Amino acid sequence: MGNVSPWCQFGCECLETPHHLFAKCRRFAETRIKSSQEVVDTTSMLLCEAKTTIRTTDVYLHSARRLFVDDASVWPLRETRYYLGTVPAIEPPDQITTVLATKIAHVWHVASIRLVG
């Protein structure tokens, strides 16, 4: 196994780690952007249907936009971990139903699984 390179096989000058492949690698940037937009659109639709406040909508949409990228305001460890099957915990400024929060978490989780696949 001494002939296996630790560098990204897509030409990046980075170690080929899961975090690099799923969050940083240029080869998959377009796919991450497309998936992110789908998550934002679906989350926005759910929030609109539930008639949430502007503050709650802003909090959820901020996290939805940053789901697939490193962001300390969304991810406690400052790096995205969507590829491990987790979604960020949200502290909404207003009361929302558990059903709505669960639907949003489900949308994010399924989108994460599809993106990793």
Side-chain angles (χ1 to χ4, degrees), residues 20-69:
H20 169 74
L21 286 175
F22 294 117
K24 299 285 188 185
C25 188
R26 295 182 307 256
R27 172 74 166 85
F28 302 107
E30 186 177 326
T31 305
R32 283 191 301 273
I33 292 168
K34 182 180 174 190
S35 293
S36 180
Q37 188 58 53
E38 290 171 3
V39 165
V40 169
D41 292 345
T42 305
T43 302
S44 180
M45 181 192 68
L46 289 171
L47 293 166
C48 186
E49 287 174 356
K51 298 178 182 169
T52 58
T53 66
I54 292 172
R55 287 181 56 205
T56 298
T57 299
D58 288 346
V59 167
Y60 272 93
L61 290 181
H62 170 74
S63 295
R65 286 184 195 97
R66 310 302 292 164
L67 185 62
F68 303 130
V69 297

